[in-house]
Amino acid sequence: MKLKVAPHISTLIPYPPGKPIEELEREYGISGSIKLASNENAWGPSPRAVCAIKDALKNLHRYPDGSCYYLAQSLADKIGVKPEEIVFGNGSNEIIGLLITAFLQPGEEVISSHPTFLMYQKLVQVQGGVNKVVELSESMQHDLKSILDTVSPKTRMIFLDNPNNPTGTIIDRDDFASFMEQLQDDIIVVLDEAYVDFVAPELRIDALSYTRSSKPVAALRTFSKAYGLSGLRLGYGIMDIEMAGYLNRVRQPFNVNSLAQVGGVAALADDEHYQMTLEKSREGTAWLSREVEKLGCRPMETHTNFFLIDVKGDGRKLYEHMLHKGVIVRHMQAYGYPNFIRITVGRQDENKRFVGALASSLKELGYG
Ligand SMILES: *Cc1c(COP(=O)(O)O)cnc(C)c1O
């Protein structure tokens, strides 16, 4: 085929196509495997969301509400902003893309960290933008000083996930304040708060005080993690009304499906499920860290529902070994941490299964 493909598209690397668990099980002749790889909510979706969705199924022949009216109202009330300051997306991933489409021209620069969430750099490339990548500091945190040093006249946006995926580290509040003070006021800062729910309230950056400042800041949040609705695809950005207006021009009219809208409203009202998730995730993190340490590995401190583990050997090999035992984790090769795996905190039965599989795998591979 004579396809003409722009170089910034032909050099894109496809998202690694993970197989469905059922396929893996068939291939490896195993059953009852567990997945602790995608930072999902191990305790399932909010039962109230499930109920609301069941009820909404009968209206699937209708297009969704293109303005997410009720969802925007509920969320605006809950977090204390105007509905017009919120843009919903098919996952917060879509909002990342919309910001880039709306505000980045080909050839302009975007700064992000390494390692960080892989979508930023990918979507910048899709747009024909230029990625400027700054290594995390030794403490695996965003290096705000180096990021400021990397700003050039071509810089249009800076992506910071707080906490950072895959390290689970956070940005110090005061450091962020000083960073924002030094940054010129025409560079868009995207504060991706996908895991903010898991951060102790006293350590959170007051994102809304920045989205309402004179500088262009967007805070991104999602229903995929603490709210347990990854499969529905629902996320949002909070930003200045003028900025939101541009995203609304760029986005597709029905970008958030009707089930996501009713599920989101119900999930927001289900504080019990939300609090239970945070509590169990905290307990699981503490238990897993202790057990992993007993096995001679080094668990990294985290502010999320996942954490990195230095396994003191090839993380990818360990990942593959554990796959055969039906325990799916994430190796960190693509992120530049060859000796690490990342695990998501699961239910206690899953956590125990993980620790058992880790113990036997370390022994069988001769790590430590
Ligand atoms: C999981 C995650 C998201 C959420 O993406 P959705 O599209 O809302 O599912 C966003 N940012 C980071 C850093 C994440 O890890």
Side-chain angles (χ1 to χ4, degrees), residues 278-299:
L278 300 189
E279 194 183 316
K280 298 224 178 214
S281 169
R282 234 179 345 256
E283 289 169 6
T285 306
W287 185 84
L288 276 167
S289 300
R290 277 199 305 275
E291 294 300 313
V292 160
E293 206 156 13
K294 282 189 209 158
L295 295 175
C297 296
R298 185 167 60 112

Side-chain angles (χ1 to χ4, degrees), residues 240-355:
D240 173 77
I241 293 178
E242 187 187 344
M243 263 176 98
Y246 286 105
L247 266 65
N248 281 323
R249 284 173 225 194
V250 167
R251 72 174 174 85
Q252 298 202 19
F254 303 120
N255 61 330
V256 178
N257 71 73
S258 51
L259 303 183
Q261 293 188 34
V262 297
V265 170
L268 282 176
D270 192 348
D271 203 47
E272 196 181 331
H273 178 266
Y274 177 79
Q275 297 298 345
M276 177 274 291
T277 296
L278 300 189
E279 194 183 316
K280 298 224 178 214
S281 169
R282 234 179 345 256
E283 289 169 6
T285 306
W287 185 84
L288 276 167
S289 300
R290 277 199 305 275
E291 294 300 313
V292 160
E293 206 156 13
K294 282 189 209 158
L295 295 175
C297 296
R298 185 167 60 112
M300 306 306 289
E301 198 195 332
T302 186
H303 297 271
T304 62
N305 65 337
F306 63 85
F307 62 99
L308 287 179
I309 303 171
D310 179 357
V311 298
K312 304 182 179 171
D314 186 325
R316 183 173 185 147
K317 258 194 206 147
L318 179 72
Y319 152 82
E320 272 157 17
H321 202 82
M322 292 185 75
L323 213 51
H324 286 91
K325 299 178 191 289
V327 175
I328 307 168
V329 298
R330 191 65 69 99
H331 69 79
M332 288 288 112
Q333 202 178 50
Y335 292 82
Y337 290 147
N339 285 358
F340 285 79
I341 58 169
R342 188 193 71 193
I343 73 152
T344 307
V345 177
R347 297 187 314 266
Q348 193 53 11
D349 57 308
E350 296 174 314
N351 296 340
K352 283 187 178 154
R353 173 100 184 270
F354 163 77
V355 170

Side-chain angles (χ1 to χ4, degrees), residues 39 90-94 96 117 120 161 165 192 194-195 221-225 233-235:
N39 307 338
N90 186 38
S92 56
N93 271 307
E94 187 187 14
I96 299 169
F117 193 46
Y120 312 139
D161 52 352
N165 180 6
D192 182 347
Y195 302 96
R221 296 183 188 159
T222 181
F223 285 78
S224 296
K225 308 289 160 54
R233 312 304 302 124
L234 180 61

